[in-house]
Every structure is written in structure tokens, then in C-alpha cells.
């Protein structure tokens, strides 16, 4: 069925069977309970957008979601009520890299092959020419035997045709997703990129490149923003049509042995990066080569060292104090301090610890 025929069929059915409900009787009936993929966030038959800038690991988060949905495992602190049959279609990376991502995410999440059963199917669609209405038709035909409850596209622009800034072109693509949801009964998820600029400056409903038709279409949206201060941390915001608001929270990218994944990090305040965010200072270890150059193999008065160090680095006194505390850490000292006190005398000298280790 093509989009045009789908739209015509829907129109014909509506003309023939306009089902007006008597509200006075309807309120006496029990409402049908939603079939929730993510509790109080995203249902079967709905559309979910995952939006972020490039290199924020939105594809990693998306594949992690697919894994959690497949086995009914909590996803970054969000409840997945029961296991689902999932199709994940990725267009961007080569098959071997997708394979490695899958294995490493599973290691970090403690997921084994037996946990997935036969409920997660991955299509590496790079170079297959699956685009637009024709691409959706091919996918629909190819997944009939799998009976998916969740179908995820990563990313949207690879399956789309036309110009994403044009409302009509975007509406046509979203109509394809409607057709797929209607034809399969599955929830539809897709990954989308941010417009240029600093995404943290924009409201969540204004996120995502292209026509604003997109933000009026999805039922739920997860938006990722770089954290203002914590490396590897991401602020996650949620926009919902059918459920109460969810407060923003922080997730942290973690490397765990041979695996990696996102973990929820409620101990980190969800402060997203904006144009007004000051860049994080470089690590204190950055300044150690300058200290080595000043000291060499000699011992030097601490006050004189700090004067030279300030001239070379331009650091404020508080930052120099932080550096000294780091360099004098007894667990891993870079500096050795010799302090002598006596009547009318107080001297404090500094030398590099590495020269003592060599001797």
C-alpha cells in the first residue's frame, strides 16, 4: 500500500464509517488501558523521537533502549513494564562497528544472548537505498514475520526524502511512519539531529533540525544535551503528549571493562551546556610539564617557584593552590616538600619527586 492509497483508504473509511461516540454513554465504559513500552512515557502505536547533536552518543542511547525494551529491563531509570519484540534499523555505521557496539553494551548491561531470545532483530541498512515511501514499503514487507512491537530508525534523515526544512516533505515522511504503525501495530522510534548552534539554548519543543512539523507530530521525545561541567554526562529532557511531565535528569557515559553504556546519575545536577557556560578548565596535570621545566633537577624555594609558575601559566592564585595540592598528593606525589622551622627561621623548598625515584 502506498502513502497515497493509505491516505485515500483512511479517507474512504472515515466517509463510510464516521464513528461518533455518545459521550454520556462513553463515560460509563472502562477506558482501554494503554500498552506502555516505557511506563508513563511511550506506548505501542505511538511515535518517539530521540534528538541530540552530533557525537553526544544518541545512537548508543537508542541501541541501549532497544536492548532494554527487548528484555524488559529498566532503561536509564525508566521502567520497561515487559519484554518486547524489537526491530532496530541503523543506516550510518558499518556492520562490524554495529556488532561491536551491541556486544559492548550487552557486557555493561549484563545482557546475554539467552536474555534476548529471538526478540531483537537488527538491519544494517547502510547503502541499501531504503528511503521515503518505497523504503518504508520494503521494510514493512520484510518485517511481517517478526511481528514487531517496536520499530526504531537511526537516523531519520537517512530514511527521509525531500528537504527537511519543508513542512510538506516532513509531513510526507511522518505519514509513512503513521502507515507503518497502522500496518504493524508497532510503536515507532526515530533518531534525529539538532540544528546548528548551541542546542542547550533552545526550548525542548524547538529542538531538532528542519520543519517544526516534527515537534507537533511525535507523542514523546527524549532530548539529549551536553552537561555544563561534567565530562561524559548528558542532561536528558522529556516532552510528552499523553503523560504528566518528567523532570530533566542526568545520565553518565561509563566505560566498564570491555563494555560501556549510559547510567542514570541523579547525583549530578541536570545543568545543560549553553552559550553562557564557561568552558571547563583543563586538568591540573596539564600544567605539570611547565613545573618540570621550572624546577629541573634542582630544589627551589616554594615562593620563588610559585612566582615563576604564575608567570609561565597565567593562573590565578586559587588555581595554583589547587595545582600544588594535586602535585603534593601523598598517594601519588609529583612534588616533595622540605620544610624547616627554627627560632627565627622558616624555609620551605620544593623538588620533583621523580628525581628521587630515579636515585
Amino acid at each position: 500500500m502506498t502513502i497515497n492509497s493509505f491516505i485515500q483508504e483512511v479517507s474512504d473509511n472515515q466517509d463510510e464509517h464516521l464513528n461518533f461516540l455518545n459521550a454520556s454513554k462513553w463515560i460509563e465504559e472502562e477506558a482501554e488501558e494503554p500498552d506502555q513500552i516505557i511506563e508513563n512515557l511511550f506506548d505501542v502505536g505511538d511515535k518517539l523521537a530521540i534528538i541530540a547533536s552530533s557525537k553526544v552518543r544518541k545512537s548508543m542511547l537508542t541501541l541501549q533502549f532497544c536492548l532494554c525494551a527487548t528484555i524488559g529491563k529498566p532503561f536509564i531509570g525508566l521502567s520497561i513494564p515487559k519484554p518486547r519484540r524489537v526491530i532496530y534499523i541503523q543506516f550510518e555505521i558499518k556492520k562490524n562497528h554495529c556488532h561491536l557496539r551491541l556486544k559492548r553494551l550487552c557486557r555493561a548491561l549484563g545482557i546475554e544472548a539467552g536474555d534476548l531470545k529471538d526478540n531483537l532483530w537488527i538491519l544494517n541498512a547502510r547503502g541499501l537505498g531504503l528511503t521515503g515511501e518505497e523504503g518504508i514499503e520494503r521494510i514493512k514487507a520484510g518485517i511481517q514475520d517478526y511481528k514487531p512491537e517496536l520499530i526504531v530508525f537511526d537516523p531519520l534523515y537517512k530514511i527521509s526524502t525531500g528537504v527537511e526544512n519543508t513542512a510538506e516533505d516532513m509531513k510526507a515522511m511522518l505519514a509513512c511512519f503513521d502507515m507503518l504503525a497502522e500496518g504493524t501495530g508497532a510503536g515507532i522510534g526515530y533518531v534525529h539531529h539538532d540544528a546548528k548552534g548551541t542546542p542547550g539554548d533552545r526550548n525542548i519543543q524547538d529542538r531538532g533540525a528542519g520543519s517544526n512539523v516534527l515537534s507537533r507530530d511525535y507523542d514523546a521525545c527524549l532530548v539529549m544535551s551536553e552537561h555544563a561541567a561534567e565530562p561524559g554526562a548528558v542532561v536528558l529532557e522529556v516532552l510528552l503528549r499523553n503523560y504528566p511531565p518528567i523532570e530533566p535528569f542526568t545520565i553518565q557515559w561509563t566505560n566498564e571493562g570491555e563494555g560501556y553504556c549510559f547510567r542514570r546519575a541523579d547525583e549530578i545536577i541536570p545543568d545543560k551546556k549553553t552559550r553562557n557556560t564557561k568552558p571547563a578548565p583543563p586538568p591540573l596535570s596539564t600544567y605539570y610539564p611547565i613545573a618540570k621545566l621550572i624546577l629541573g633537577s634542582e630544589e627551589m624555594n616554594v615562593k620563588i617557584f610559585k612566582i615563576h609558575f604564575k608567570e609561565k601559566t597565567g593562573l590565578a592564585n586559587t588555581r595554583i593552590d589547587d595545582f600544588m595540592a594535586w602535585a603534593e598528593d601523598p598517594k601519588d606525589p609529583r612534588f616533595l616538600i622540605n620544610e624547616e622551622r627554627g627560632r627565627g627561621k622558616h624555609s620551605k623548598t620544593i623538588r620533583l619527586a621523580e628525581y628521587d625515584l630515579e636515585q
Side-chain angles (χ1 to χ4, degrees):
M1 180 186 295
T2 66
I3 284 294
N4 289 336
S5 61
F6 168 71
I7 293 172
Q8 186 61 51
E9 181 179 308
V10 171
S11 177
D12 292 343
N13 289 339
Q14 287 176 340
D15 291 341
E16 295 173 9
H17 308 289
L18 295 176
N19 187 21
F20 290 95
L21 298 170
N22 186 332
S24 65
K25 293 183 179 180
W26 206 25
I27 63 171
E28 300 292 335
E29 300 174 6
E30 290 294 326
E32 182 181 352
E33 290 294 326
D35 189 3
Q36 299 180 341
I37 295 175
I38 303 177
E39 186 175 340
N40 296 329
L41 195 153
F42 172 50
D43 302 342
V44 169
D46 281 352
K47 285 177 282 189
L48 168 72
I50 298 175
I51 298 176
S53 297
S54 178
K55 313 308 179 190
V56 183
R57 299 191 177 97
K58 54 184 178 291
S59 290
M60 295 292 195
L61 185 72
T62 301
L63 183 52
Q64 183 172 331
F65 166 51
C66 290
L67 285 164
C68 292
T70 300
I71 66 173
K73 179 185 180 74
F75 167 59
I76 52 172
L78 302 170
S79 175
I80 306 282
K82 64 179 183 180
R84 299 290 182 173
R85 294 183 300 278
V86 181
I87 300 284
Y88 174 62
I89 304 170
Q90 72 86 16
F91 294 85
E92 285 195 316
I93 62 175
K94 292 187 293 185
K95 177 182 174 181
N96 63 320
H97 288 295
C98 185
H99 191 184
L100 288 170
R101 285 183 179 184
L102 176 72
K103 291 172 72 71
R104 289 169 179 167
L105 281 165
C106 284
R107 286 191 190 113
L109 295 168
I111 296 174
E112 299 181 354
D115 300 323
L116 298 172
K117 301 179 181 177
D118 292 326
N119 289 329
L120 175 60
W121 295 87
I122 297 172
L123 176 62
N124 295 295
R126 175 170 164 160
L128 297 185
L130 296 172
T131 57
E133 181 182 348
E134 182 182 346
I136 294 292
E137 284 290 344
R138 288 176 61 191
I139 289 168
K140 182 183 174 186
I143 64 177
Q144 291 299 319
D145 292 341
Y146 301 107
K147 296 179 173 54
E149 298 166 281
L150 172 63
I151 306 167
V152 178
F153 295 86
D154 182 9
L156 175 63
Y157 80 90
K158 285 285 190 177
I159 188 74
S160 299
T161 55
V163 180
E164 69 180 9
N165 289 325
T166 304
E168 288 305 314
D169 287 345
M170 185 60 73
K171 284 166 66 176
M173 190 65 244
L174 297 173
C176 287
F177 287 156
D178 288 335
M179 180 187 72
L180 187 61
E182 185 72 19
T184 63
I188 306 296
Y190 54 87
V191 178
H192 190 41
H193 62 281
D194 266 314
K196 293 180 180 179
T198 307
D201 290 330
R202 293 190 287 274
N203 293 326
I204 183 171
Q205 60 268 27
D206 298 324
R207 295 284 293 269
S211 170
N212 59 11
V213 166
L214 186 75
S215 63
R216 297 198 294 270
D217 179 80
Y218 51 65
D219 300 285
C221 181
L222 304 179
V223 173
M224 304 170 70
S225 302
E226 287 185 74
H227 196 275
E230 292 290 335
V234 171
V235 176
L236 200 70
E237 297 175 276
V238 184
L239 186 62
L240 302 173
R241 185 196 303 279
N242 300 317
Y243 292 103
I246 295 175
E247 290 296 316
F249 59 93
T250 303
I251 56 178
Q252 178 80 49
W253 180 251
T254 60
N255 288 282
E256 303 176 0
E258 295 183 353
Y260 48 53
C261 68
F262 278 106
R263 301 284 188 193
R264 184 147 174 165
D266 289 327
E267 72 279 6
I268 302 176
I269 296 172
D271 182 18
K272 61 184 180 180
K273 182 179 179 181
T274 69
R275 281 178 296 181
N276 296 324
T277 301
K278 294 181 179 180
L284 293 169
S285 57
T286 303
Y287 307 106
Y288 183 60
I290 298 174
K292 287 180 63 176
L293 191 64
I294 295 170
L295 287 172
S297 60
E298 303 299 322
E299 193 169 40
M300 182 180 291
N301 181 277
V302 170
K303 289 183 179 180
I304 294 175
F305 167 76
K306 286 185 175 181
I307 291 171
H308 290 302
F309 189 66
K310 186 180 182 69
E311 289 175 350
K312 295 286 187 182
T313 62
L315 294 176
N317 290 337
T318 54
R319 186 71 170 156
I320 292 175
D321 290 342
D322 291 340
F323 173 78
M324 296 296 292
W326 169 82
E328 295 173 32
D329 183 356
K331 295 180 180 178
D332 185 21
R334 273 78 173 180
F335 291 166
L336 295 177
I337 303 295
N338 181 38
E339 192 168 6
E340 295 183 5
R341 292 179 180 271
R343 182 175 297 179
K345 179 183 178 182
H346 178 206
S347 68
K348 190 174 182 181
T349 58
I350 184 174
R351 68 183 186 277
L352 293 176
E354 61 187 73
Y355 285 103
D356 278 44
L357 294 175
E358 290 175 358
Q359 295 175 0

